[in-house]
């Protein structure tokens, strides 16, 4: 797996062609989908075909809002908490070049957060009038767990693997939108939504390479026990993320807009939550094609035996 040098990353960060740039958003066309359907959980269930075009379209749009919220959550609550602490990591004491990249990256992540917030507000101003995250609020236990984990950042290198995997997922989703505007059954993607994701990926490509460098630097001195624990915790994190928790809220909101779906609500929710046991669905979210740098790093880990069968199969 080819990796950019820190010097090349710094060069690209000053090249406007390789940097995310804000733009004036056009009015959102709500007759169009926001995502390719295979990035929406319900698409992978038999019940999807029982929904009308209108139901599938609004479900797709609401899932697009949730995806944007997750990127915002990731950039504000996870990446920011870790990246602000990393310059104090002993492994980076002799890496001022990498710390400089981190500083630029943190500023860019703030811009991404604001861009996705503005996009969601433009799409559904009534939903986002009083909150930035409607579908992805953290519970008290999740918040406490996140604070504890990030306070142990020097020991939990799994958090850096997780950052890398999530960045690569966002790049994969955006690149899919750039490759084709056509969805499976809902027509062409909404152009403003598509453009925001096309802008987002410009910075994220560099961020992936920064995080791969960070993983290398911070994992180099870890012993066998630490590597094993972190491999196991990384697997736990990826398994948790693969469970479509937010689907419950999306379906509940969909039913408020389309009350005729109320008799199907329990079945729709159960079918989506059942995907956590579906190997084919798990592979759509965690695979070598979407996350090549993550898997390249996992290939080098002697602690790979601590990964679950799901992760082991995804490695092939």
């Amino acid at each position: 797996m080819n990796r950019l040098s820190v010097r090349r990353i710094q060069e690209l960060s000053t090249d406007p062609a390789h940097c995310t740039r804000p733009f004036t958003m056009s009015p959102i066309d709500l007759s169009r989908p926001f995502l390719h359907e295979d990035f929406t959980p319900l698409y992978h269930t038999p019940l999807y075909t029982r929904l009308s075009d209108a139901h599938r379209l609004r479900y797709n749009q609401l899932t697009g809002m949730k995806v944007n919220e997750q990127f915002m959550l990731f950039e504000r609550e996870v990446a920011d908490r870790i990246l602000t602490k990393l310059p104090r990591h002993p492994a980076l004491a002799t890496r001022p070049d990498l710390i400089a990249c981190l500083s630029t990256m943190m500023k860019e992540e703030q811009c991404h957060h604001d861009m996705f917030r503005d996009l969601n507000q433009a799409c559904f101003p009534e939903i986002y009038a009083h909150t930035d995250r409607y579908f992805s609020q953290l519970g008290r236990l999740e918040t406490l767990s996140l604070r504890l984990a990030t306070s142990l950042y020097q020991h939990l290198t799994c958090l850096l693997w997780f950052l890398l995997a999530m960045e690569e997922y966002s790049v994969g989703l955006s690149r899919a939108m750039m490759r084709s505007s056509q969805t499976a059954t809902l027509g062409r993607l909404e152009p403003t939504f598509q453009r925001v994701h096309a802008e987002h990926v410009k910075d994220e490509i560099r961020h992936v390479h920064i995080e791969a460098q960070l993983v290398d630097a911070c994992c180099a001195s870890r012993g066998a026990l630490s590597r094993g624990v972190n491999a196991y915790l990384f697997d736990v994190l990826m398994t948790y993320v693969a469970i479509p928790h937010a689907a419950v809220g999306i379906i509940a909101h969909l039913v408020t807009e389309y009350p005729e779906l109320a008799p199907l609500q329990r079945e729709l929710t159960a079918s989506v939550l059942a995907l956590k046991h579906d190997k084919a669905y798990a592979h759509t979210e965690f695979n070598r094609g979407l996350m090549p740098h993550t898997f390249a790093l996992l290939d080098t880990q002697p602690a790979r035996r601590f990964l679950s069968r799901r992760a082991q199969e995804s490695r092939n």
Side-chain angles (χ1 to χ4, degrees):
M1 176 60 59
N2 294 328
R3 186 179 301 169
L4 296 178
S5 67
V6 173
R7 180 176 179 180
R8 182 58 178 156
I9 292 169
Q10 291 173 324
E11 290 173 352
L12 291 175
S13 70
T14 62
D15 181 353
H18 293 88
C19 296
T20 301
R21 289 291 179 264
F23 65 95
T24 301
M25 295 185 188
S26 301
I28 304 298
D29 183 355
L30 292 179
S31 70
R32 295 195 182 190
F34 292 167
L35 299 173
H36 288 293
E37 289 162 273
D38 56 343
F39 282 97
T40 66
L42 196 56
Y43 176 77
H44 298 272
T45 73
L47 288 179
Y48 189 74
T49 58
R50 292 171 57 182
L51 300 179
S52 70
D53 288 347
H55 297 153
R56 293 201 301 269
L57 176 64
R58 185 48 59 94
Y59 169 75
N60 181 286
Q61 293 171 342
L62 294 172
T63 303
M65 299 293 93
K66 184 269 297 181
V67 167
N68 290 348
E69 286 186 32
Q70 285 187 324
F71 290 166
M72 293 163 61
L73 171 67
F74 169 74
E75 289 164 350
R76 175 65 58 84
E77 300 294 341
V78 182
D80 188 60
R81 288 178 184 272
I82 298 171
L83 298 181
T84 54
K85 296 180 175 71
L86 271 180
R88 302 192 295 272
H89 197 292
L92 300 183
T94 59
R95 297 297 306 274
D97 56 343
L98 199 48
I99 291 175
C101 288
L102 266 177
S103 178
T104 301
M105 179 177 170
M106 285 187 284
K107 293 175 184 177
E108 291 170 344
E109 295 289 23
Q110 179 60 54
C111 292
H112 299 169
H113 176 279
D114 295 346
M115 183 173 64
F116 284 124
R117 179 200 61 206
D118 293 346
L119 176 60
N120 279 7
Q121 289 177 348
C123 291
F124 291 109
E126 67 280 7
I127 291 179
Y128 294 100
H130 304 294
T131 182
D132 289 343
R133 298 205 309 271
Y134 181 76
F135 295 112
S136 57
Q137 294 287 342
L138 292 179
R140 180 176 297 179
L141 180 59
E142 292 171 315
T143 300
L144 290 174
S145 298
L146 178 60
R147 288 176 180 172
L148 175 61
T150 54
S151 70
L152 299 172
Y153 71 98
Q154 290 191 23
H155 305 286
L156 297 182
T157 51
C158 60
L159 296 176
L160 294 177
W161 293 1
F162 179 65
L163 286 178
L164 175 60
M166 293 298 97
E167 293 278 18
E168 286 208 279
Y169 178 83
S170 73
V171 169
L173 181 145
S174 297
R175 280 179 164 165
M177 297 174 73
M178 294 162 67
R179 280 194 301 268
S180 173
S181 299
Q182 192 65 35
T183 64
T185 71
L186 297 173
R188 298 182 70 81
L189 294 170
E190 204 288 322
T192 299
F193 202 96
Q194 189 178 20
R195 182 176 175 186
V196 167
H197 281 267
E199 285 294 327
H200 179 236
V201 78
K202 294 178 183 178
D203 286 343
E204 294 301 282
I205 290 173
R206 285 184 285 103
H207 294 180
V208 164
H209 288 272
I210 293 171
E211 283 160 354
Q213 296 271 1
L214 289 170
V215 171
D216 272 349
C218 296
C219 290
S221 62
R222 310 309 300 179
L225 176 60
S226 176
R227 288 173 182 266
V229 170
N230 277 281
Y232 171 76
L233 291 176
F234 171 76
D235 195 68
V236 170
L237 284 170
M238 295 306 298
T239 300
Y240 179 79
V241 169
I243 300 172
H245 302 280
V248 177
I250 292 172
I251 292 170
H253 183 90
L254 184 67
V255 170
T256 66
E257 294 192 25
Y258 297 94
E260 67 271 19
L261 290 176
L264 267 181
Q265 182 174 355
R266 181 175 297 178
E267 192 176 356
L268 287 167
T269 300
S271 68
V272 171
L273 291 177
L275 289 172
K276 66 182 179 180
H277 303 298
D278 189 312
K279 293 180 181 178
Y281 174 72
H283 187 75
T284 67
E285 298 220 320
F286 184 56
N287 64 73
R288 191 176 294 274
L290 269 180
M291 304 168 181
H293 290 275
T294 302
F295 278 85
L297 283 166
L298 290 176
D299 287 341
T300 68
Q301 295 300 314
R304 60 172 64 94
R305 66 186 181 279
F306 291 98
L307 298 175
S308 69
R309 182 179 298 277
R310 176 187 63 82
Q312 292 283 6
E313 291 171 349
S314 297
R315 292 161 59 85
N316 299 325

